[in-house]
Amino acid sequence: MKIELPDQAFKYVSENSKECDEQTAFVLTKQNEKYLQNAKDNNAHSIIKIEEIAKLFAIDSIKIVGITGTNGKTTTASAIYSFLLDLGYKAAFQGTRGFFMNDEIAEGKSLTTPSVLNTYLHIYQAVEAGCDFFIMEVSSHAIVQQRVEGLNFELKILTNITQDHLDYHKTLGEYISVKNSFFQDGSKKLINKDEPKASFNIKNTMTYGIENPATYKLMAYSLNNASSGIIQYMQDEVVPFTSSLHGFFNLYNLMAAISAVHILTGKKLEEIVQVVDNFAGVSGRMEQVSDEPNVIVDFAHTPDGMAQVLNALKEKDLLVVFGAGGDRDKTKRPLMGKVASTLAKKVYITSDNPRTEDPDAIIKDILEGIEDKTDVAVEINRKKAIEMALKDQKDDEVVVVLGKGDEAYQIIYDQKLPFDDREVIREILNS
């Protein structure tokens, strides 16, 4: 990707050595340094370090917020973005759902954290649009690959650390270490105090929590008719809030978002909580596709994520449809099976982006975590599995379809085939 920069000795910058020529400067990062010679061979105008790009893009004039964690990144980031806009600030948000500026979609879905230069471009566009804040999700892959290189964060936030991406990080210990490495500097940090695996530099650290003492403490809460709570900041402020979000896990997301906006803006908590109820949540996260019959879709694709969603609905009898991604962490598959079989009345195991793996083999891995298979159905075809659950559903039961959320495709081998759980559910119900 070439980016045109006015008023420079070169016309373009690129992090791709193949795109370099006499008019294009090569932006050197940790990710592409092995291609430096290739950039020179292609007659790159010059070699620029990523720190120099920061100055050219004037990104120091915007406050950058980075959010990492296994679950909750998207909801927390989206909530912060929503609260800031409602409070009258201009803001941008980059993450799994895409790139947004001032309540408009600027770019569709991409990686959770894009390449270094792509992120710098988004920040540059946000600066040009007059944004005060740039909110971004930071994946564990991005931390390892230094895709946030050179960025000065105004605030770093940790949601939680549970198992995910062990296909990449190999061990849980390595994954935990990667997440925690983001919080070892002296910049401002907001840490989930109830996360026992969190390790961080205490300098400039604030915390939020429900079970443990924290800078921002949830003193009381209710999960009847969505959620509400009373948040205490130090000994200074105690304020109530209400939200349309469901589930205990969303209390943590809301706590992180409210606390972050308080830190970032310096506004009174009393003013911030006034806009909390305006945030309706994220598409594909605890999304109710149908009221009667009750059908819910969620992105949960880790054992902990599944447990959070299903526990949020534990008062109901649940029929759960899910699978596990191919070419990804195999060790979580039996754990996902165990969670589903423990918390659901009936389980329907199916495909979920099998990629290059045999779907039967993935399902076999999931089944290893289920001791009693009496109430387990196996159907590789995801549409048919959803259809089975909807057909079996009785009056007060809830069908919960997990794993894909608002994804609009199914990846089989190298093909991205159109498949949106929500559209499939509506199509089945309408027929």
Side-chain angles (χ1 to χ4, degrees):
M1 177 188 64
K2 281 188 179 186
I3 299 172
E4 187 171 352
L5 278 178
D7 306 321
Q8 301 298 328
F10 44 82
K11 189 173 183 181
Y12 306 100
V13 292
S14 175
E15 57 191 342
N16 185 344
S17 62
K18 293 178 182 176
E19 293 180 342
C20 290
D21 53 35
E22 292 87 348
Q23 289 187 304
T24 308
F26 181 60
V27 181
L28 187 66
T29 69
K30 293 288 183 185
Q31 273 191 291
N32 69 12
E33 55 190 3
K34 60 185 175 184
Y35 301 108
L36 175 59
Q37 188 56 50
N38 184 245
K40 291 177 179 177
D41 293 342
N42 287 333
N43 299 314
H45 175 280
S46 49
I47 310 300
I48 302 178
K49 290 183 178 178
I50 196 71
E51 293 82 1
E52 296 171 63
I53 284 290
K55 296 187 186 74
L56 294 176
F57 280 5
I59 67 170
D60 289 336
S61 61
I62 193 170
K63 292 179 177 178
I64 304 170
V65 181
I67 301 155
T68 196
T70 310
N71 300 308
K73 290 189 297 293
T74 302
T75 301
T76 301
S78 299
I80 293 170
Y81 174 65
S82 170
F83 298 169
L84 288 170
L85 291 177
D86 285 351
L87 288 166
Y89 295 95
K90 289 189 173 182
F93 164 43
Q94 170 187 284
T96 312
R97 298 169 61 219
F99 175 46
F100 302 79
M101 284 193 298
N102 299 328
D103 222 11
E104 292 185 4
I105 299 174
E107 202 174 287
K109 293 181 183 180
S110 63
L111 294 172
T112 302
T113 316
S115 70
V116 181
L117 196 56
N118 214 328
T119 293
Y120 273 74
L121 174 61
H122 287 165
I123 298 172
Y124 175 60
Q125 290 171 328
V127 170
E128 290 289 294
C131 292
D132 308 291
F133 299 97
F134 185 87
I135 319 300
M136 64 181 291
E137 296 178 49
V138 179
S139 68
S140 57
H141 293 71
I143 295 169
V144 171
Q145 296 166 8
Q146 295 184 285
R147 279 189 255 143
V148 289
E149 186 183 356
L151 295 179
N152 293 315
F153 288 91
E154 177 69 18
L155 181 65
K156 295 179 175 183
I157 302 170
L158 175 68
T159 58
N160 50 54
I161 308 174
T162 60
Q163 180 174 334
D164 200 13
H165 302 306
L166 297 197
D167 54 303
Y168 182 83
H169 298 290
K170 306 308 176 193
T171 68
L172 183 58
E174 182 186 322
Y175 175 66
I176 293 168
S177 176
V178 167
K179 287 290 188 190
N180 284 328
S181 70
F182 190 57
F183 301 98
Q184 300 309 311
D185 61 7
S187 61
K188 283 184 193 171
K189 295 169 284 289
L190 179 63
I191 306 290
N192 179 352
K193 192 68 180 295
D194 298 339
E195 176 48 73
K197 293 181 283 294
S199 174
F200 48 89
N201 181 341
I202 61 169
K203 184 179 179 183
N204 288 325
T205 294
M206 286 144 285
T207 57
Y208 66 97
I210 299 174
E211 297 168 1
N212 293 295
T215 317
Y216 298 89
K217 167 83 172 168
L218 191 64
M219 304 300 292
Y221 65 88
S222 169
L223 293 173
N224 295 326
N225 301 318
S227 54
S228 59
I230 298 173
I231 184 171
Q232 179 176 21
Y233 167 61
M234 308 285 280
Q235 302 300 318
D236 302 334
E237 295 181 76
V238 179
V239 295
F241 67 88
T242 58
S243 168
S244 59
L245 301 193
H246 293 265
F248 182 71
F249 64 96
N250 269 324
L251 289 173
Y252 279 102
N253 297 331
L254 289 167
M255 285 286 291
I258 293 167
S259 306
V261 172
H262 186 247
I263 294 164
L264 292 166
T265 66
K267 285 187 176 293
K268 290 275 190 186
L269 272 181
E270 189 177 12
E271 186 178 350
I272 295 167
V273 297
Q274 298 303 314
V275 303
V276 170
D277 209 16
N278 298 345
F279 176 59
V282 178
S283 178
R285 268 66 168 184
M286 284 290 278
E287 182 176 348
Q288 190 173 40
V289 181
S290 168
D291 183 23
E292 291 182 5
N294 195 349
V295 187
I296 290 171
V297 164
D298 193 88
F299 184 64
H301 59 283
T302 67
D304 182 65
M306 289 175 66
Q308 289 182 1
V309 170
L310 300 182
N311 274 318
L313 301 164
K314 63 185 176 185
E315 306 303 323
K316 303 284 187 181
D317 286 333
L318 308 178
L319 309 184
V320 178
V321 182
F322 81 102
D327 303 331
R328 297 292 185 268
D329 178 11
K330 293 183 180 183
T331 64
K332 70 180 181 181
R333 293 171 186 171
L335 301 175
M336 292 165 71
K338 185 176 182 179
V339 167
S341 63
T342 303
L343 298 174
K345 179 180 179 181
K346 187 163 183 178
V347 174
Y348 304 79
I349 304 175
T350 187
S351 296
D352 180 350
N353 296 334
R355 299 182 177 88
T356 64
E357 274 196 78
D358 178 358
D360 284 313
I362 298 172
I363 289 171
K364 186 181 176 185
D365 288 342
I366 294 170
L367 287 168
E368 283 179 11
I370 304 175
E371 288 184 24
D372 183 357
K373 298 179 178 61
T374 309
D375 295 311
V376 176
V378 172
E379 172 53 68
I380 288 178
N381 184 301
R382 192 171 178 93
K383 181 177 180 180
K384 286 183 179 178
I386 294 170
E387 211 162 13
M388 284 171 66
L390 292 172
K391 191 176 179 182
D392 291 345
Q393 186 179 19
K394 295 183 175 61
D395 295 340
D396 292 332
E397 295 175 341
V398 183
V399 169
V400 187
V401 184
L402 299 176
K404 296 176 68 61
D406 62 347
E407 282 182 358
Y409 54 81
Q410 177 88 305
I411 305 174
I412 301 174
Y413 290 101
D414 59 349
Q415 288 188 299
K416 260 192 176 183
L417 305 172
F419 195 101
D420 186 320
D421 283 345
R422 300 162 305 170
E423 287 183 14
V424 168
I425 290 162
R426 292 186 190 107
E427 181 188 323
I428 294 168
L429 291 177
N430 289 334
S431 65

